[in-house]
Amino acid sequence: MTSLLDFLSCVADTAGVDNRLRVLRAEREWSQAELAERLGVSRQTVNAIETGKYDPSLPLAFQIARLFAQRIEDVFFPDGKPEVRP
Amino acid sequence: MNSAPASPDAPRPRLVLSFLVPAAFVGAYFAARMGLETVEPGSRAAIALALLPVPFFAFLIHAYTRAVRGMDELERRIQLEALAFAFPVGLLVAFTAGLLELAGFPGKGNWDLPRLWPLLLLPYWFGLVRSRRRYA
């Protein structure tokens, strides 16, 4: 239920969101605390990244992308929208 | 930046930092102040008492540095922002109080450093709260 609510709030907040972390986390039904533990950071850090209040360092961004088996540019979008693959 | 998982015993250094180490320093500081009132100024005992809090504060710095190394990257940023706010504000308070004292306000000797330094912690705590709220 929490994951669904997270997913819906993420969809509602699409404008201005510069990463897909909340969606990827919701797909795996992980809580913020679970993801934080897997990444070795605090839950506050995961929340701040998801809400766009904090941009992770490059090593952490790569770690996040690796954890979700994605390319880094498929998780983080500098211009606010996903890169279109050719 | 190190984002390795925190060790299982991570809460212990945090407890030491947040309570025991500052408490030891404050205890040593007030012991020194009380002791200095009972010994002759300029004596070896007075100098020893004046330096009594130094090792405790050195340990506080060591504990704080260790705690910062154990933090994740966001918490380090929060600490940096708090310190970046507190340091100039602390300087501002110190030199303004010094100048006001020279100007005779609010009474000579009321704003000397031994009385002023606890106030210098306030900008750090304020900066910490402000920065934590920004990323909450």
Side-chain angles (χ1 to χ4, degrees), chain A residues 23-51:
Chain A
V23 175
L24 293 168
R25 180 173 63 78
E27 284 171 359
R28 284 155 184 80
E29 300 189 342
W30 291 342
S31 66
Q32 285 187 341
E34 274 179 279
L35 177 58
E37 197 179 334
R38 285 168 195 267
L39 293 170
V41 298
S42 66
R43 194 201 60 79
Q44 183 190 14
T45 301
V46 170
N47 183 59
I49 295 170
E50 285 187 357
T51 53

Side-chain angles (χ1 to χ4, degrees), chain B residues 15-52:
Chain B
L15 178 71
V16 169
L17 173 75
S18 60
F19 180 71
L20 294 180
V21 177
F25 166 70
V26 169
Y29 176 79
F30 283 107
R33 283 204 71 159
M34 286 195 300
L36 282 169
E37 289 172 8
T38 62
V39 296
E40 190 181 336
S43 64
R44 285 185 180 178
I47 293 169
L49 278 169
L51 296 177
L52 177 67

Side-chain angles (χ1 to χ4, degrees), chain B residues 28-127:
Chain B
Y29 176 79
F30 283 107
R33 283 204 71 159
M34 286 195 300
L36 282 169
E37 289 172 8
T38 62
V39 296
E40 190 181 336
S43 64
R44 285 185 180 178
I47 293 169
L49 278 169
L51 296 177
L52 177 67
V54 172
F56 291 92
F57 198 79
F59 189 55
L60 183 61
I61 294 170
H62 172 72
Y64 179 71
T65 309
R66 271 193 65 186
V68 168
R69 284 184 187 145
M71 290 171 185
D72 75 357
E73 57 184 55
L74 177 59
E75 187 61 29
R76 284 184 193 177
R77 175 182 281 206
I78 288 169
Q79 290 290 331
L80 175 66
E81 287 183 5
L83 291 170
F85 174 76
F87 184 67
V89 170
L91 283 179
L92 176 71
V93 169
F95 81 70
T96 304
L99 289 175
L100 283 172
E101 189 179 11
L102 284 176
F105 178 83
K108 201 99 177 148
N110 283 338
W111 292 97
D112 58 351
L113 211 51
R115 288 182 182 155
L116 193 65
W117 73 262
L119 288 179
L120 301 181
L121 292 175
L122 291 178
Y124 170 69
W125 291 115
F126 179 76

